[in-house]
């Protein structure tokens, strides 16, 4: 009974924010911007994905097949960079990198790791410092939900995060 209640609390504590960002071409056409762009760095602050790029996120909990295991990915973090790349790691070490794209209309985030790793797609929910990624079936490899907490830097295995003290 605890698992469904926790999952529902996580889901309802986050909301999908509907924001749009558009650009107008020289011909007057309006186009929605949905992925990072380095063409005009002055537009970065107005992009619908900046909630992803402000600091990195550390793993909080993963739910797979109704099972919650907060220890499974302890120390994992992900850092979405404004240039459309990301770094992923455990504690102080980067273990993976790749590219990401976010569609503000569908609230879908796609991660494409470098190397032989398979891509993944996630439905995004966020509020304040919480990021919930809910795996989609697009690539057939993602039957999970992950909660991430915004964090200033890479987690240190010798320091317990302040927000975990009450849990």
């Amino acid at each position: 009974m605890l698992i469904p209640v926790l999952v529902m609390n996580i889901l309802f504590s986050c909301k999908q924010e509907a924001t749009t960002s558009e650009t107008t071409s020289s011909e007057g056409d309006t186009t929605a911007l949905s992925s990072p762009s380095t063409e005009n760095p002055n537009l970065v602050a107005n992009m619908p994905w900046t909630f992803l790029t402000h600091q990195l996120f550390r793993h909080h909990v993963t739910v797979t097949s109704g099972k919650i295991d907060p220890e499974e990915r302890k120390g994992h973090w992900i850092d979405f960079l404004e240039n459309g790349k990301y770094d992923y790691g455990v504690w102080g070490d980067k273990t993976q990198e790749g590219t990401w794209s976010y569609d503000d209309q569908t609230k879908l985030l796609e991660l494409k790791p470098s190397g032989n790793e398979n891509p993944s797609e996630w439905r995004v929910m966020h509020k304040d410092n919480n990021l919930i990624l809910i795996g989609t079936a697009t690539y057939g490899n993602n039957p999970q939900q992950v909660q991430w907490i915004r964090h200033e830097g890479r987690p240190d295995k010798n320091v317990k995060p302040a927000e975990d003290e009450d849990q």
Side-chain angles (χ1 to χ4, degrees):
M1 187 65 173
L2 176 62
I3 292 172
V5 171
L6 179 61
V7 171
M8 294 306 289
N9 283 338
I10 291 171
L11 287 175
F12 288 119
S13 69
C14 292
K15 67 177 182 179
Q16 294 181 340
E17 295 182 14
T19 60
T20 58
S21 180
E22 298 179 339
T23 184
T24 304
S25 70
S26 58
E27 292 82 29
D29 297 333
T30 301
T31 307
L33 298 174
S34 60
S35 62
S37 170
T38 56
E39 293 176 14
N40 188 347
N42 296 324
L43 293 177
V44 168
N46 298 320
M47 303 308 277
W49 43 260
T50 56
F51 70 92
L52 287 170
T53 59
H54 176 68
Q55 299 179 323
L56 60 79
F57 290 92
R58 71 169 176 79
H59 178 266
H60 185 67
V61 67
T62 296
V63 179
T64 305
S65 302
K67 296 180 182 177
I68 297 175
D69 187 356
E71 300 297 316
E72 178 184 348
R73 295 185 183 155
K74 193 172 189 121
H76 288 231
W77 53 269
I78 190 164
D79 191 4
F80 297 101
L81 307 173
E82 291 178 351
N83 64 2
K85 295 183 179 184
Y86 73 89
D87 294 331
Y88 181 91
V90 181
W91 302 116
D93 300 321
K94 180 170 89 169
T95 60
Q96 185 185 93
E97 61 186 13
T99 60
W100 64 272
S101 62
Y102 176 70
D103 184 324
D104 189 49
Q105 299 301 313
T106 61
K107 307 294 185 219
L108 291 175
L109 171 69
E110 184 176 39
L111 301 178
K112 292 184 178 178
S114 300
N116 296 331
E117 297 285 329
N118 292 324
S120 60
E121 183 180 75
W122 306 84
R123 182 155 315 279
V124 175
M125 298 173 69
H126 66 94
K127 182 178 181 185
D128 301 326
N129 292 326
N130 290 288
L131 175 66
I132 304 291
L133 300 180
I134 302 167
T136 70
T138 299
Y139 296 105
N141 62 350
N142 212 358
Q144 55 191 319
Q145 173 181 310
V146 184
Q147 181 184 17
W148 298 89
I149 306 291
R150 192 176 313 281
H151 203 259
E152 281 189 35
R154 295 178 181 178
D156 181 342
K157 61 182 160 186
N158 298 314
V159 177
K160 186 175 185 177
E163 56 269 12
D164 285 352
E165 291 176 1
D166 294 30
Q167 310 221 1

